[in-house]
Amino acid sequence: MPAIVGTLWLTAGTAAFAVPLGVAMAIYLAEYASDNTFTRLVRLAIINLSGIPSVVYGLFGLGMFVLFLHFGSSILAGALTLAIMTLPIIISTSEEALRAVPQAFRTVSISLGGTKWQTIYRIVLPQALPGILTGIILGLERAAGETAPILFTVAAFFLPRLPRSVFDQTMALPYHLFVITTQVPGMPVKIQYGTALVLLIFVLSMNLIAAGLRSTYRRRRQW
């Protein structure tokens, strides 16, 4: 139970930080930023960041959040580290989803008196929502299954109680699976496979929820 609840805490914290910032950055790049050298460099940097090994993000989180900002080994430090790791995925997929919306939608909205923000908020975002949800779920699934970032920032070997605040350490399913398969001699194989099954069910459930939301919003599309 502590490992399952800890994984939920970390996934929710990652979503709270990464989703608003990632979608906002995608909106800026797709709708406001001009096509120049700077924006091309930003997009290239985002693509490169998505390919960095997760252990590098873990070391960055250790240096920045645990040591420099004095958050200690905590859910807050782990969630911020995972959020930074998932941002490139959310930004890239959300930007592509926004650019896929036909330009005619924007033209008609502005010609009828809508402002640029009203057009984005009321017309473009609802039409791009299936693609944006896909990027969000992909990013959160990666965050839920990572071991290296939480190893340096939040994960505990064993805690008999549930976390009480974002400044507490917590157990997490990926790290728990790593520990019982590599660090605990004589651990029964059925417990190892059972832990792996729980993690797979957790990730699969997120996939099923995302698929249901995508299908619902796609049926509402007007193109």
Side-chain angles (χ1 to χ4, degrees):
M1 180 58 71
I4 294 172
V5 173
T7 304
L8 290 172
W9 269 83
L10 288 171
T11 305
T14 302
F17 290 115
V19 173
L21 184 58
V23 174
M25 293 178 69
I27 291 173
Y28 172 76
L29 290 172
E31 303 293 335
Y32 290 98
S34 56
D35 188 15
N36 53 36
T37 303
F38 175 73
T39 55
R40 286 194 290 271
L41 288 174
V42 169
R43 290 189 178 95
L44 179 62
I46 292 171
I47 293 172
N48 289 333
L49 285 172
S50 63
I52 292 178
S54 59
V55 67
V56 177
Y57 286 103
L59 292 172
F60 172 79
L62 173 65
M64 174 60 71
F65 303 121
V66 176
L67 301 177
F68 182 73
L69 295 179
H70 302 291
F71 292 156
S73 185
S74 63
I75 294 174
L76 180 59
L80 286 170
T81 303
L82 292 173
I84 293 175
M85 187 185 69
T86 58
L87 269 177
I89 299 174
I90 295 176
I91 294 171
S92 298
T93 54
S94 298
E95 184 184 0
E96 289 301 319
L98 291 166
R99 290 185 178 276
V101 178
Q103 187 63 34
F105 281 46
R106 301 171 177 83
T107 303
V108 171
S109 176
I110 293 174
S111 68
L112 292 174
T115 64
K116 188 173 184 63
W117 172 244
Q118 287 175 332
T119 300
I120 294 170
Y121 181 71
R122 295 181 179 273
I123 305 297
V124 179
L125 275 178
Q127 300 300 320
L129 199 55
I132 293 174
L133 286 174
T134 300
I136 291 172
I137 296 300
L138 284 174
L140 294 181
E141 283 178 357
R142 183 187 178 189
E146 285 291 349
T147 303
I150 61 175
L151 172 65
F152 294 106
T153 57
V154 59
F157 184 87
F158 173 74
L159 289 174
R161 60 176 178 80
L162 300 179
R164 297 188 178 95
S165 75
V166 295
F167 293 101
D168 288 345
Q169 272 191 294
T170 186
M171 297 177 66
L173 284 171
Y175 182 65
H176 184 61
L177 180 60
F178 167 76
V179 167
I180 64 176
T181 53
T182 63
Q183 307 297 317
V184 182
M187 177 62 65
V189 175
K190 63 180 181 180
I191 295 180
Q192 300 175 24
Y193 281 104
T195 304
L197 179 62
V198 172
L199 181 58
L200 287 173
I201 290 173
F202 182 81
V203 174
L204 181 61
S205 300
M206 294 177 63
N207 259 317
L208 292 176
I209 293 172
L213 290 173
R214 283 199 303 270
S215 63
T216 299
Y217 284 107
R218 279 175 179 166
R219 286 195 296 268
R220 298 179 184 177
R221 272 185 173 176
Q222 300 174 6
W223 52 283

